[in-house]
Amino acid sequence: MSTDRAPETPRTDAAVQLHRPTYDLTPHYQMPVTGTVQLHNESDPVVWVPDAYGRMIPMRRSAAPAPMQPMPPRDLSPQPLLDPRAQMIAAGGVLAAGTGWGIGQALAPLAGLGAGGLMWLAIAVVGWKLAPALMGGGRTVERHTHEHHTHVTNKNRGFGRSTTHVNH
């Protein structure tokens, strides 16, 4: 025997055998005795529909998109310039503003009544103080006691100024 080659192993049928199943995989169809043959997938017909590129492709009718419905006619009658609801809201706002302005005009004299009344009260007080001075000068009051003679002279002048002299 030479050492430059491995010895050859004889091939036998047992070394190359394939695994064979123990059951039969061959399909067995039983044909009906009478009637027509209808296959399972042929009940849904094939239709031709355009694809995204405009080519016609076959597709089952159940998978095809629904056919396009015609668009209903458009209403071409002229529409109002402003929304009627918006007009009602705007009218309510104008009414509220007008009512508020009117009430303000009616109550404005009452706001001035306080300031005007205060002014007339001040004029009355000044007039009350000025009246004796304008009518003829001041008053002279004399007091006599048993031991002393006191003479008090009080002169009132404009704007509430008064001068008092006491003589013993």
Side-chain angles (χ1 to χ4, degrees), residues 12-167:
T12 62
D13 284 338
V16 187
Q17 269 189 352
L18 295 175
H19 173 70
R20 295 196 192 273
T22 57
Y23 51 88
D24 188 14
L25 292 176
T26 347
H28 295 285
Y29 298 105
Q30 294 181 353
M31 298 298 284
V33 178
T34 59
T36 59
V37 175
Q38 182 179 5
L39 297 178
H40 174 69
N41 285 337
E42 285 188 0
S43 63
D44 194 15
V46 174
V47 293
W48 291 86
V49 294
D51 67 353
Y53 303 105
R55 297 175 301 193
M56 299 300 281
I57 58 169
M59 185 178 288
R60 297 265 180 206
R61 179 175 281 167
S62 60
M68 286 187 56
Q69 300 298 321
M71 294 294 292
R74 289 179 37 203
D75 180 21
L76 298 177
S77 63
Q79 299 296 318
L81 188 60
L82 294 174
D83 182 22
R85 180 76 176 143
Q87 287 178 351
M88 287 175 44
I89 292 172
V94 168
L95 174 69
T99 303
W101 181 82
I103 291 173
Q105 292 298 312
L107 297 180
L110 294 178
L113 183 65
L118 187 61
M119 181 189 72
W120 283 112
L121 181 65
I123 289 174
V125 168
V126 169
W128 178 60
K129 289 286 195 175
L130 284 180
L134 295 176
M135 294 290 233
R139 297 183 300 187
T140 302
V141 177
E142 292 185 24
R143 276 181 137 181
H144 299 285
T145 60
H146 295 30
E147 298 173 11
H148 297 300
H149 287 301
T150 305
H151 183 73
V152 177
T153 306
N154 190 10
K155 294 214 175 211
N156 291 323
R157 295 189 182 154
F159 298 105
R161 287 183 286 167
S162 53
T163 307
T164 306
H165 293 287
V166 179
N167 295 328

